[in-house]
Protein backbone atom coordinates (compact mmCIF):
# COMPACT_ATOMS: atom_id res chain seq x y z
CA UNK A 1 0.00 0.00 0.00
CA UNK A 2 1.42 3.38 -0.91
CA UNK A 3 0.72 7.02 -1.69
CA UNK A 4 2.31 8.76 -4.65
CA UNK A 5 3.09 12.47 -4.30
CA UNK A 6 1.99 14.11 -7.56
CA UNK A 7 2.56 17.67 -6.30
CA UNK A 8 4.10 18.52 -2.91
CA UNK A 9 2.24 21.64 -1.81
CA UNK A 10 3.92 24.58 -0.14
CA UNK A 11 5.57 22.75 2.78
CA UNK A 12 4.22 19.30 3.63
CA UNK A 13 6.18 17.26 6.16
CA UNK A 14 5.86 13.97 8.02
CA UNK A 15 5.30 14.58 11.74
CA UNK A 16 4.42 12.50 14.78
CA UNK A 17 4.55 13.47 18.46
CA UNK A 18 8.24 14.35 18.17
CA UNK A 19 11.45 13.35 19.92
CA UNK A 20 11.71 13.37 23.71
CA UNK A 21 14.62 13.28 26.11
CA UNK A 22 17.30 14.54 23.71
CA UNK A 23 17.41 18.29 24.27
CA UNK A 24 20.45 17.95 26.55
CA UNK A 25 22.27 16.60 23.48
CA UNK A 26 21.27 19.59 21.36
CA UNK A 27 18.52 17.70 19.50
CA UNK A 28 15.15 19.42 19.27
CA UNK A 29 11.77 17.70 19.44
CA UNK A 30 10.27 18.49 15.99
CA UNK A 31 6.82 16.85 15.75
CA UNK A 32 3.37 18.19 14.89
CA UNK A 33 2.89 21.85 15.85
CA UNK A 34 -0.82 21.29 16.52
CA UNK A 35 -0.71 18.05 18.51
CA UNK A 36 -4.45 18.24 19.22
CA UNK A 37 -5.55 18.18 15.56
CA UNK A 38 -2.83 15.64 14.79
CA UNK A 39 -4.18 13.31 17.50
CA UNK A 40 -7.85 13.63 16.47
CA UNK A 41 -7.00 12.98 12.81
CA UNK A 42 -5.21 9.78 13.81
CA UNK A 43 -8.09 8.62 16.01
CA UNK A 44 -10.60 9.21 13.21
CA UNK A 45 -8.44 7.20 10.79
CA UNK A 46 -8.19 4.34 13.29
CA UNK A 47 -4.57 4.89 14.32
CA UNK A 48 -2.89 5.47 17.65
CA UNK A 49 -3.01 9.17 18.52
CA UNK A 50 0.76 9.53 18.14
CA UNK A 51 1.14 7.92 14.70
CA UNK A 52 2.84 9.87 11.92
CA UNK A 53 0.67 12.20 9.83
CA UNK A 54 1.27 14.67 7.04
CA UNK A 55 1.40 18.25 8.30
CA UNK A 56 0.21 20.60 5.54
CA UNK A 57 1.26 24.24 5.83
CA UNK A 58 -0.97 26.88 4.16
CA UNK A 59 -1.34 25.00 0.84
CA UNK A 60 -1.43 21.27 0.37
CA UNK A 61 -0.25 18.46 -1.91
CA UNK A 62 -1.87 16.33 -4.60
CA UNK A 63 -1.70 12.64 -3.68
CA UNK A 64 -2.66 9.41 -5.48
CA UNK A 65 -3.74 6.44 -3.36
CA UNK A 66 -2.85 3.19 -5.09
CA UNK A 67 -4.99 1.06 -2.74
CA UNK A 68 -8.23 1.65 -0.81
CA UNK A 69 -7.64 3.93 2.18
CA UNK A 70 -9.38 5.53 5.14
CA UNK A 71 -8.25 9.10 5.79
CA UNK A 72 -9.11 12.01 8.06
CA UNK A 73 -8.29 15.73 7.84
CA UNK A 74 -8.18 17.94 10.94
CA UNK A 75 -6.80 21.32 11.91
CA UNK A 76 -7.08 24.25 9.52
CA UNK A 77 -10.12 24.63 7.28
CA UNK A 78 -8.63 23.51 3.98
CA UNK A 79 -9.98 23.11 0.45
CA UNK A 80 -10.00 19.36 -0.16
CA UNK A 81 -11.44 17.17 -2.88
CA UNK A 82 -11.20 13.60 -4.10
CA UNK A 83 -11.54 13.24 -7.87
CA UNK A 84 -13.60 16.42 -8.02
CA UNK A 85 -15.79 15.77 -4.95
CA UNK A 86 -15.27 18.09 -1.99
CA UNK A 87 -14.59 16.38 1.33
CA UNK A 88 -15.02 17.89 4.79
CA UNK A 89 -12.66 17.71 7.74
CA UNK A 90 -12.91 16.15 11.19
CA UNK A 91 -14.46 12.87 10.04
CA UNK A 92 -13.34 9.57 8.45
CA UNK A 93 -13.43 9.29 4.67
CA UNK A 94 -13.11 6.02 2.69
CA UNK A 95 -11.26 6.22 -0.64
CA UNK A 96 -11.41 3.63 -3.44
CA UNK A 97 -8.17 2.44 -5.03
CA UNK A 98 -6.70 4.90 -7.50
CA UNK A 99 -8.21 7.99 -5.86
CA UNK A 100 -6.49 11.36 -6.18
CA UNK A 101 -6.72 13.66 -3.17
CA UNK A 102 -6.12 17.35 -3.84
CA UNK A 103 -5.50 19.62 -0.86
CA UNK A 104 -5.68 23.31 -1.73
CA UNK A 105 -5.22 26.38 0.42
CA UNK A 106 -5.99 26.71 4.12
CA UNK A 107 -8.93 29.13 4.34
CA UNK A 108 -8.75 29.48 8.15
CA UNK A 109 -5.76 28.43 10.18
CA UNK A 110 -2.28 27.60 8.98
CA UNK A 111 -1.86 23.82 9.25
CA UNK A 112 -3.97 20.79 8.42
CA UNK A 113 -3.18 17.19 9.36
CA UNK A 114 -3.80 14.22 7.09
CA UNK A 115 -3.93 10.83 8.80
CA UNK A 116 -4.17 7.57 6.85
CA UNK A 117 -5.30 4.27 8.38
CA UNK A 118 -2.31 2.07 9.11
CA UNK A 119 -0.04 5.06 9.46
CA UNK A 120 2.97 6.06 7.38
CA UNK A 121 5.59 3.29 7.30
CA UNK A 122 8.74 5.34 7.83
CA UNK A 123 11.79 4.41 9.90
CA UNK A 124 12.30 6.09 13.24
CA UNK A 125 15.28 8.38 13.58
CA UNK A 126 16.25 8.93 17.22
CA UNK A 127 12.90 7.53 18.33
CA UNK A 128 10.61 9.44 15.98
CA UNK A 129 9.55 9.62 12.33
CA UNK A 130 9.18 13.42 12.55
CA UNK A 131 10.94 15.62 10.02
CA UNK A 132 13.57 17.89 11.56
CA UNK A 133 13.95 20.50 8.82
CA UNK A 134 16.76 22.35 10.55
CA UNK A 135 18.76 19.17 11.18
CA UNK A 136 17.85 17.55 7.85
CA UNK A 137 16.81 14.15 9.23
CA UNK A 138 13.66 12.14 9.86
CA UNK A 139 10.53 11.94 7.71
CA UNK A 140 11.38 11.72 4.01
CA UNK A 141 15.13 12.42 3.80
CA UNK A 142 14.81 15.20 6.37
CA UNK A 143 12.89 17.53 4.04
CA UNK A 144 9.42 18.54 2.92
CA UNK A 145 7.68 16.29 0.40
CA UNK A 146 8.70 16.53 -3.25
CA UNK A 147 6.93 15.43 -6.43
CA UNK A 148 7.66 11.77 -7.12
CA UNK A 149 7.99 10.73 -3.47
CA UNK A 150 6.23 7.48 -2.57
CA UNK A 151 4.95 7.00 0.99
CA UNK A 152 4.45 3.43 2.11
CA UNK A 153 1.58 2.71 4.50
CA UNK A 154 1.29 0.35 7.43
CA UNK A 155 -0.21 -3.10 7.14
CA UNK A 156 -3.71 -2.37 8.46
CA UNK A 157 -6.25 -3.59 5.92
CA UNK A 158 -9.01 -1.25 4.81
CA UNK A 159 -12.15 -2.74 3.21
CA UNK A 160 -12.35 -2.03 -0.49
CA UNK A 161 -15.02 0.44 -1.58
CA UNK A 162 -16.18 1.15 -5.11
CA UNK A 163 -16.82 4.85 -4.52
CA UNK A 164 -15.94 7.64 -2.15
CA UNK A 165 -17.66 7.31 1.23
CA UNK A 166 -17.86 10.21 3.70
CA UNK A 167 -18.98 9.49 7.27
CA UNK A 168 -22.17 11.37 8.25
CA UNK A 169 -20.75 12.09 11.73
CA UNK A 170 -17.82 14.25 12.78
CA UNK A 171 -15.81 15.57 15.72
CA UNK A 172 -16.14 19.18 16.89
CA UNK A 173 -12.63 20.63 17.22
CA UNK A 174 -13.62 23.33 19.71
CA UNK A 175 -12.93 24.48 22.41
CA UNK A 176 -9.26 23.60 21.87
CA UNK A 177 -9.18 24.92 18.33
CA UNK A 178 -11.77 27.58 17.54
CA UNK A 179 -10.52 29.33 14.39
CA UNK A 180 -13.49 31.72 14.32
CA UNK A 181 -12.28 33.84 17.27
CA UNK A 182 -9.07 35.84 17.82
CA UNK A 183 -6.38 33.87 19.61
CA UNK A 184 -5.78 34.41 23.32
CA UNK A 185 -2.61 32.65 24.41
CA UNK A 186 -2.03 32.01 28.10
CA UNK A 187 1.53 32.57 29.31
CA UNK A 188 3.44 31.72 32.46
CA UNK A 189 5.33 34.93 33.18
CA UNK A 190 8.92 34.72 34.29
CA UNK A 191 12.46 34.17 33.19
CA UNK A 192 14.10 37.58 33.03
CA UNK A 193 13.31 39.67 36.11
CA UNK A 194 13.75 42.89 34.12
CA UNK A 195 11.13 41.96 31.50
CA UNK A 196 8.19 44.34 30.97
CA UNK A 197 5.60 41.63 31.61
CA UNK A 198 2.64 44.00 31.98
CA UNK A 199 3.31 45.42 28.51
CA UNK A 200 3.45 41.89 27.07
CA UNK A 201 -0.07 41.21 28.36
CA UNK A 202 -1.59 44.57 27.40
CA UNK A 203 -0.07 44.62 23.93
CA UNK A 204 -1.72 43.53 20.69
CA UNK A 205 0.59 41.40 18.56
CA UNK A 206 0.56 40.52 14.88
CA UNK A 207 2.26 37.44 13.39
CA UNK A 208 5.14 38.44 11.11
CA UNK A 209 5.81 36.91 7.69
CA UNK A 210 9.20 35.60 8.89
CA UNK A 211 7.48 33.03 11.16
CA UNK A 212 8.06 29.30 10.62
CA UNK A 213 8.09 25.98 12.47
CA UNK A 214 10.92 27.23 14.67
CA UNK A 215 8.92 30.13 16.04
CA UNK A 216 6.35 32.88 15.59
CA UNK A 217 7.90 36.33 15.21
CA UNK A 218 5.52 39.00 16.43
CA UNK A 219 5.09 42.66 15.52
CA UNK A 220 3.72 45.39 17.77
CA UNK A 221 4.82 48.07 20.19
CA UNK A 222 8.40 47.18 21.06
CA UNK A 223 9.21 46.07 24.60
CA UNK A 224 12.39 47.09 26.38
CA UNK A 225 14.21 45.32 29.20
CA UNK A 226 15.25 47.34 32.22
CA UNK A 227 18.68 45.71 31.97
CA UNK A 228 20.01 45.54 28.41
CA UNK A 229 23.30 43.78 29.23
CA UNK A 230 24.18 40.75 27.10
CA UNK A 231 22.92 37.45 28.55
CA UNK A 232 24.50 34.02 28.71
CA UNK A 233 22.68 31.47 26.52
CA UNK A 234 20.02 29.53 28.41
CA UNK A 235 17.93 26.42 27.71
CA UNK A 236 14.73 27.05 25.75
CA UNK A 237 11.85 24.80 24.66
CA UNK A 238 8.67 24.92 22.58
CA UNK A 239 6.48 27.60 24.15
CA UNK A 240 9.34 29.82 25.37
CA UNK A 241 8.73 33.52 24.72
CA UNK A 242 11.99 35.31 23.87
CA UNK A 243 12.66 39.02 23.55
CA UNK A 244 15.27 39.92 20.89
CA UNK A 245 16.96 43.34 20.70
CA UNK A 246 14.24 44.80 18.45
CA UNK A 247 11.73 44.43 21.31
CA UNK A 248 9.27 42.21 19.39
CA UNK A 249 8.69 38.80 21.05
CA UNK A 250 9.32 35.41 19.46
CA UNK A 251 7.26 32.40 20.60
CA UNK A 252 9.21 29.21 20.00
CA UNK A 253 7.46 26.22 18.39
CA UNK A 254 8.30 22.54 17.89
CA UNK A 255 11.46 23.10 15.81
CA UNK A 256 12.90 25.38 18.49
CA UNK A 257 16.62 25.33 19.16
CA UNK A 258 17.69 23.88 22.51
CA UNK A 259 19.52 27.01 23.78
CA UNK A 260 19.16 30.71 23.07
CA UNK A 261 20.80 33.98 24.01
CA UNK A 262 17.70 36.19 23.86
CA UNK A 263 16.11 36.87 27.27
CA UNK A 264 13.22 34.60 28.22
CA UNK A 265 10.18 36.58 29.36
CA UNK A 266 7.52 33.88 29.62
CA UNK A 267 6.26 30.52 28.42
CA UNK A 268 3.10 29.75 26.42
CA UNK A 269 1.21 26.92 28.09
CA UNK A 270 1.01 23.53 26.39
CA UNK A 271 -2.79 23.54 26.09
CA UNK A 272 -2.71 26.71 23.95
CA UNK A 273 0.00 25.62 21.52
CA UNK A 274 -2.54 24.21 19.03
CA UNK A 275 -3.85 27.78 18.68
CA UNK A 276 -0.30 29.06 18.19
CA UNK A 277 0.22 26.46 15.46
CA UNK A 278 -2.79 27.74 13.53
CA UNK A 279 -1.71 31.39 13.43
CA UNK A 280 -0.63 32.67 10.04
CA UNK A 281 1.16 35.84 8.95
CA UNK A 282 -1.06 38.85 9.66
CA UNK A 283 -3.13 37.15 12.36
CA UNK A 284 -3.52 39.00 15.66
CA UNK A 285 -3.13 37.53 19.14
CA UNK A 286 -3.06 38.66 22.73
CA UNK A 287 -1.30 37.13 25.71
CA UNK A 288 -2.97 36.49 29.06
CA UNK A 289 -1.30 35.69 32.40
CA UNK A 290 -1.62 32.17 33.72
CA UNK A 291 -0.57 30.37 36.91
CA UNK A 292 1.14 26.95 36.98
CA UNK A 293 -2.00 25.46 38.55
CA UNK A 294 -4.17 26.87 35.75
CA UNK A 295 -1.74 25.59 33.11
CA UNK A 296 -1.82 22.12 34.63
CA UNK A 297 -5.62 22.13 34.79
CA UNK A 298 -5.87 23.21 31.14
CA UNK A 299 -3.50 20.43 30.03
CA UNK A 300 -5.46 17.84 32.03
CA UNK A 301 -8.76 19.04 30.56
CA UNK A 302 -7.36 18.78 27.03
CA UNK A 303 -6.14 15.21 27.63
CA UNK A 304 -9.54 14.30 29.06
CA UNK A 305 -11.29 15.66 25.96
CA UNK A 306 -9.02 13.59 23.74
CA UNK A 307 -9.85 10.50 25.81
CA UNK A 308 -13.58 11.16 25.44
CA UNK A 309 -13.13 11.71 21.71
CA UNK A 310 -11.29 8.39 21.39
CA UNK A 311 -14.09 6.57 23.23
CA UNK A 312 -16.77 8.25 21.11
CA UNK A 313 -14.99 7.32 17.87
CA UNK A 314 -14.58 3.70 18.96
CA UNK A 315 -18.25 3.54 19.89
CA UNK A 316 -19.38 5.03 16.59
CA UNK A 317 -17.09 2.79 14.57
CA UNK A 318 -18.44 -0.24 16.40
CA UNK A 319 -22.03 0.85 15.70
CA UNK A 320 -21.23 1.33 12.00
CA UNK A 321 -19.56 -2.08 11.67
Amino acid sequence: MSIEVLAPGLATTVQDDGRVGLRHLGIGSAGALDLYSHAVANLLAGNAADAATLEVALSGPRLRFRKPARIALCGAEIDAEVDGTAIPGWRPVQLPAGSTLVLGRCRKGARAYLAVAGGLALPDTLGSASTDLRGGFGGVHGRALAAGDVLELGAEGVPAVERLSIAPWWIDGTPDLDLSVPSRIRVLAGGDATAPVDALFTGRWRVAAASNRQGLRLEGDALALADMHERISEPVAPGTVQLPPDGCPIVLLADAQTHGGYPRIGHAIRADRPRLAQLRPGDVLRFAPCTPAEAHAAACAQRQRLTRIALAIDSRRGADA
Side-chain angles (χ1 to χ4, degrees), residues 95-112:
L95 307 182
S99 295
T100 298
L101 170 65
V102 178
L103 299 179
R105 66 181 182 90
C106 295
R107 298 187 304 277
K108 288 184 180 178
R111 292 171 177 88

Side-chain angles (χ1 to χ4, degrees), residues 58-82:
L58 296 178
S59 180
R62 182 159 49 95
L63 308 170
R64 177 178 294 134
F65 290 76
R66 295 176 176 171
K67 297 290 184 180
R70 180 171 61 248
I71 67 169
L73 271 169
C74 293
E77 294 181 13
I78 188 170
D79 293 326
E81 62 178 44
V82 174

